[in-house]
Amino acid sequence: MKFHTPSVMAKGFRCASMNCGIKEEGKDLSLFLSDVTANAAGVFTRNLFPGAPVVLGREIIRHGQLRAVVVNSRVSNVGTGEEGIENARRMARSVSQAFDIPEQEVIMSSTGVIGRQLPIEKIEAGISTIGSGLTSDPLVGAEGIMTTDTYPKAISLEVDGATLTIIGKGSGMIEPNMATMLVYILTDAEIPVAALDRMLREAVKDSFNMLSVDSDTSTSDTCLALANGLAGPVDHTRFAEALKTACVEMTRLLARDGEGATKLLTATVTGAVNDTEARFIAKALINSPLIKTMAYGADPNIGRILMAVGKCTHCTVAPEKLSITINGTLVYTDQARVDFDEARVRSLLSGEHVAIGVSLSSGDASATAYGCDLTEKYIEENAAYYSS
Amino acid sequence: MKFHTPSVMAKGFRCASMNCGIKEEGKDLSLFLSDVTANAAGVFTRNLFPGAPVVLGREIIRHGQLRAVVVNSRVSNVGTGEEGIENARRMARSVSQAFDIPEQEVIMSSTGVIGRQLPIEKIEAGISTIGSGLTSDPLVGAEGIMTTDTYPKAISLEVDGATLTIIGKGSGMIEPNMATMLVYILTDAEIPVAALDRMLREAVKDSFNMLSVDSDTSTSDTCLALANGLAGPVDHTRFAEALKTACVEMTRLLARDGEGATKLLTATVTGAVNDTEARFIAKALINSPLIKTMAYGADPNIGRILMAVGKCTHCTVAPEKLSITINGTLVYTDQARVDFDEARVRSLLSGEHVAIGVSLSSGDASATAYGCDLTEKYIEENAAYYSS
């Protein structure tokens, strides 16, 4: 398994992006296209108010076959009723006509403001011309799906002679539940639909499902995997491992680029009695505003870590067995603060990555959650993000 | 039932506060004293790492009898092991000696930084002289228990010829679980311990337990009720009602003075299938960073409200039955945004109190949660609140 720098596109996939007039400036429409029909799997938000693309997407993915993914940003097509469903269908139909693909092999996503109808004519006009810009640079496709992200995100790696490319976006309203904001996984490996689906769910569980920027679950979260088979068969164990590694890497990129973030925050819980509790405590740590601001302020405030573990009142936590590390330095054990080198820990906390480790010594389960610090900029962005 | 302005002290109670040298400036020690032994009840944090005063407090309150409450601020006596327990005992012992009260009728609280030992000699010296400042102004006692609060909080009301006085503090690390930060309820009504305990728990359930400034549960939350009986017996139904009203009022004060807050945020959920779900959804709304920043930005962003209800994936929510109001104005119903007067709603949102109403029309249960907006100032305070 080997990461590419810069990232490259899996064989037989191309993408394009453009401004079709939804945003005043910047790209707002992206297309991902496979030259041949790809096996496909997907996971979507579990929010009870899913957007129209998610409602339709769940039906479309059932066939397990895709040629194209079309995505617009700025308007999410959520809370838009029957008209929203019809508009999502029109996005697929336009791609079908423009690229001569069966309509049921086109899936769509929308991200942005909730409760507004899509400017569907602009999108249709855009789709009719977007083909001229098709390229094999995945970052081009990543550009059209951005909302508050500060840069486009794509990673790729080589596994067993096949290429795995992941394009993702997501910056706020992020605590995915079954998926993340928008993530498209494209590979030329040959993988049957059932295996692809299983591998995707397994990878998502430890990556995007452990990501939280602000504990708010989007109505549009979508993660799709397309495998067009052009590179032939691969070893499933190695591919699944590569997929999980790449998903974790993309999760770290999304977390680090959380709205207003200045650093990546991770929490690793070990020794939990079971997987559920390990995940719950890791998420509680990553979501605590007091830990997020502590990371921002670069202060080794052990009390806040104790507090966040302690508020998981239904979990099995034996206070006398708890140890805490910050970026690898032991700061709490045997029910007392360790006399650590504060200046050194403060300096570690000032870096790009704050890593909190909590050892419970009560069982064998472990989990890592991914988030970011909480800064004035998150407030500014979200207090100013007007809905109309 | 009638609120006093300004608040007064229940008969037979006095209080005092002073700087005993824990803080560089400002008061850091308070004493509340009843002339006669009072019946007492209490609820404490459920955090798995409670402070020494909470550990001891649970034992002390079992006797159901109190004469005095002694409180220091700046250092919370949490994560301090055996030495912390002994220091908490020494606080009670000092009060016992200085005021000739049985030691088991003195309860103590500490609030502030976690993981540091109390400067117990300073506190003992303070207790030996604090008696000279005893007064019947409850705000004086409220001053010594403040941490990041911007002003001291006390309210009082008249019920059935008795007086009910509540002193409270709490600004950050607030999502109480069974109690709130520090709240002392003093009354001269004559109420048996069992009834007092029942009324306290009932009142806390709908008030302090529905408060969340930042979703973080403190290790020190304590709510005590002392009834010294000097005003004679009262009607229990009316007193319980007055107690709940006063607790809700104190909850609103604490929420409004949340760290960095510029306004009170309430969420009322009606028509839920049961009490648990009504409370869960109301808390999800009040805790959502995107709703908190929306309140700060005075933007009627309906999508964020949909999102927050929708992320309660285990609750019974029928999207077609959902209606949403903002400060009484209907903004969403029949699965669509209502064409409301945006300028008017923005102006309502700019006020001192943002009230979100969510009607689920699925059952008879309802709940209200209390919080505040999220501003740059919360970040500043908590990124700068150094642990040492």
Side-chain angles (χ1 to χ4, degrees):
Chain A
M1 163 177 19
K2 181 176 126 285
F3 280 93
H4 303 114
T5 321
S7 56
V8 304
M9 191 63 112
K11 269 190 287 293
F13 287 98
R14 286 172 299 160
C15 61
S17 61
M18 67 181 295
N19 176 292
C20 74
I22 320 176
K23 290 182 186 169
E24 285 190 19
E25 54 186 63
K27 297 182 170 182
D28 52 26
L29 186 67
S30 278
L31 179 74
F32 301 91
L33 203 63
S34 175
D35 293 342
V36 298
T37 299
N39 287 336
V43 283
F44 300 91
T45 184
R46 285 178 59 199
N47 193 296
L48 300 170
F49 295 93
V54 169
V55 172
L56 285 184
R58 288 201 179 101
E59 288 174 24
I60 295 165
I61 205 69
R62 250 184 243 138
H63 310 300
Q65 308 278 308
L66 286 179
R67 280 284 307 277
V69 183
V70 58
V71 190
N72 74 276
S73 51
R74 176 69 187 130
V75 179
S76 70
N77 199 0
V78 174
T80 47
E82 273 309 307
E83 188 180 343
I85 294 283
E86 178 53 23
N87 284 341
R89 281 213 179 88
R90 283 173 69 173
M91 281 176 71
R93 205 172 299 141
S94 297
V95 172
S96 163
Q97 285 161 5
F99 298 91
D100 196 22
I101 305 177
E103 193 180 323
Q104 67 274 20
E105 294 189 6
V106 182
I107 200 164
M108 74 299 290
S109 303
S110 298
T111 177
V113 170
I114 295 175
R116 305 278 164 193
Q117 296 295 343
L118 290 177
I120 187 65
E121 285 81 10
K122 289 181 182 172
I123 293 172
E124 287 174 334
I127 289 169
S128 71
T129 65
I130 198 170
S132 62
L134 280 167
T135 161
S136 60
D137 179 356
L139 282 175
V140 170
E143 282 171 22
I145 67 176
M146 289 165 61
T147 47
T148 50
D149 306 65
T150 63
Y151 66 99
K153 296 170 192 77
I155 55 183
S156 73
L157 53 73
E158 209 63 43
V159 51
D160 251 26
T163 301
L164 179 58
T165 306
I166 305 192
I167 294 102
K169 66 82 61 177
S171 191
M173 202 182 275
I174 299 204
E175 178 168 352
N177 205 334
M178 293 312 289
T180 185
M181 288 301 283
L182 299 181
V183 172
Y184 307 110
I185 300 166
L186 311 175
T187 181
D188 42 26
E190 184 184 317
I191 305 170
V193 174
L196 188 63
D197 186 69
R198 198 186 60 241
M199 289 178 197
L200 177 65
R201 285 170 199 279
E202 191 57 37
V204 163
K205 202 176 82 174
D206 289 330
S207 56
F208 305 119
N209 270 1
M210 293 306 288
L211 165 66
S212 178
V213 166
D214 54 10
S215 80
D216 276 341
T217 306
S218 163
T219 48
S220 300
D221 293 337
T222 296
C223 177
L224 299 173
L226 280 70
N228 70 11
L230 292 182
V234 290
D235 177 85
H236 282 198
T237 308
R238 276 195 298 272
F239 188 86
E241 195 193 326
L243 179 63
K244 187 179 285 193
T245 303
C247 286
V248 166
E249 188 54 29
M250 179 56 79
T251 299
R252 294 168 66 103
L253 291 185
L254 294 178
R256 172 61 186 82
D257 197 33
E259 285 176 344
T262 69
K263 57 188 80 169
L264 173 67
L265 173 65
T266 62
T268 299
V269 173
T270 54
V273 291
N274 60 45
D275 188 62
T276 308
E277 293 194 4
R279 286 166 189 275
F280 188 90
I281 297 170
K283 279 279 193 83
L285 286 158
I286 226 73
N287 273 330
S288 159
L290 289 173
I291 290 185
K292 288 163 77 77
T293 48
M294 165 193 127
Y296 180 43
D299 175 41
N301 194 324
I302 318 306
R304 294 186 184 178
I305 303 175
L306 280 183
M307 174 282 298
V309 175
K311 75 177 181 172
C312 305
T313 51
H314 67 282
C315 293
T316 302
V317 175
E320 69 279 10
K321 294 187 190 165
L322 185 85
S323 295
I324 300 173
T325 59
I326 294 181
N327 288 64
T329 300
L330 185 71
V331 294
Y332 182 94
T333 194
D334 285 337
Q335 304 198 69
R337 192 174 191 282
V338 173
D339 189 26
F340 56 86
D341 179 348
E342 282 214 14
R344 199 175 140 263
V345 173
R346 279 187 207 280
S347 137
L348 291 169
L349 282 168
S350 305
E352 273 283 300
H353 176 199
V354 170
I356 294 172
V358 167
S359 163
L360 298 172
S361 301
S362 296
D364 296 325
S366 63
T368 298
Y370 305 87
C372 56
D373 56 347
L374 176 61
T375 74
E376 295 89 349
K377 207 145 177 298
Y378 179 90
I379 314 289
E380 281 163 37
E381 287 191 28
N382 286 298
Y385 189 85
Y386 264 31
S387 57
S388 55
Chain B
M1 162 178 16
K2 181 176 126 287
F3 280 93
H4 303 112
T5 321
S7 56
V8 304
M9 191 62 112
K11 268 190 289 290
F13 286 98
R14 286 172 299 159
C15 62
S17 62
M18 67 181 295
N19 176 292
C20 74
I22 321 177
K23 291 183 186 169
E24 284 191 18
E25 55 186 63
K27 297 183 170 182
D28 51 25
L29 186 66
S30 279
L31 179 75
F32 300 92
L33 203 63
S34 175
D35 293 342
V36 298
T37 299
N39 288 336
V43 284
F44 301 90
T45 184
R46 284 178 59 199
N47 193 297
L48 301 170
F49 295 92
V54 169
V55 172
L56 285 185
R58 288 202 180 101
E59 287 174 23
I60 295 165
I61 205 69
R62 251 184 243 138
H63 310 299
Q65 308 278 310
L66 286 179
R67 280 283 308 277
V69 183
V70 59
V71 190
N72 74 276
S73 51
R74 177 65 188 133
V75 179
S76 69
N77 199 359
V78 175
T80 47
E82 274 309 308
E83 188 179 342
I85 294 283
E86 178 53 24
N87 284 341
R89 281 214 180 89
R90 283 173 68 173
M91 281 176 72
R93 205 171 300 141
S94 296
V95 173
S96 163
Q97 285 161 4
F99 298 90
D100 195 21
I101 305 176
E103 193 181 323
Q104 68 273 20
E105 293 189 8
V106 182
I107 200 164
M108 73 300 291
S109 302
S110 298
T111 176
V113 171
I114 296 175
R116 304 278 163 194
Q117 295 296 343
L118 290 177
I120 188 64
E121 285 81 11
K122 288 180 183 174
I123 293 172
E124 287 174 333
I127 290 170
S128 70
T129 65
I130 198 170
S132 61
L134 280 167
T135 160
S136 60
D137 180 356
L139 283 175
V140 170
E143 281 171 23
I145 68 176
M146 289 165 62
T147 47
T148 51
D149 307 65
T150 64
Y151 66 98
K153 296 171 191 75
I155 55 183
S156 73
L157 53 73
E158 208 62 43
V159 51
D160 250 28
T163 301
L164 179 59
T165 306
I166 306 192
I167 294 102
K169 66 82 59 178
S171 191
M173 203 182 274
I174 299 205
E175 179 169 354
N177 205 335
M178 293 312 290
T180 184
M181 289 301 282
L182 298 181
V183 172
Y184 307 110
I185 301 167
L186 311 175
T187 182
D188 42 27
E190 183 184 319
I191 304 171
V193 174
L196 188 64
D197 186 68
R198 198 185 61 242
M199 288 178 197
L200 177 65
R201 284 169 200 279
E202 191 58 37
V204 163
K205 202 176 81 174
D206 289 329
S207 56
F208 305 119
N209 270 1
M210 293 306 287
L211 164 66
S212 178
V213 166
D214 53 10
S215 81
D216 276 341
T217 305
S218 162
T219 47
S220 300
D221 293 337
T222 295
C223 177
L224 299 174
L226 279 71
N228 68 12
L230 292 182
V234 289
D235 177 84
H236 282 200
T237 308
R238 276 195 298 272
F239 187 85
E241 195 194 326
L243 179 63
K244 187 179 285 194
T245 302
C247 285
V248 166
E249 187 55 28
M250 179 56 79
T251 299
R252 294 168 66 101
L253 291 185
L254 294 178
R256 172 62 186 81
D257 197 33
E259 284 176 345
T262 70
K263 58 188 79 170
L264 173 68
L265 173 65
T266 63
T268 299
V269 172
T270 54
V273 292
N274 59 46
D275 189 62
T276 309
E277 292 195 5
R279 286 167 189 274
F280 189 90
I281 296 170
K283 278 279 193 83
L285 286 158
I286 226 74
N287 273 330
S288 160
L290 289 172
I291 290 186
K292 289 162 78 76
T293 48
M294 165 193 128
Y296 180 44
D299 176 41
N301 194 325
I302 319 306
R304 295 186 183 177
I305 302 175
L306 280 183
M307 173 281 298
V309 175
K311 74 177 180 172
C312 304
T313 51
H314 66 283
C315 294
T316 301
V317 176
E320 69 280 9
K321 294 187 190 164
L322 185 85
S323 294
I324 300 173
T325 59
I326 294 181
N327 288 65
T329 300
L330 185 70
V331 294
Y332 182 93
T333 193
D334 286 337
Q335 303 197 68
R337 192 175 191 281
V338 172
D339 190 24
F340 56 86
D341 179 349
E342 282 215 11
R344 198 174 140 264
V345 173
R346 278 187 207 280
S347 136
L348 291 170
L349 283 169
S350 304
E352 273 283 299
H353 176 198
V354 169
I356 294 173
V358 167
S359 163
L360 299 171
S361 300
S362 297
D364 295 326
S366 63
T368 299
Y370 305 86
C372 56
D373 55 347
L374 176 62
T375 74
E376 295 89 349
K377 209 146 174 300
Y378 179 89
I379 314 289
E380 281 163 38
E381 287 191 28
N382 286 298
Y385 189 85
Y386 264 31
S387 57
S388 55

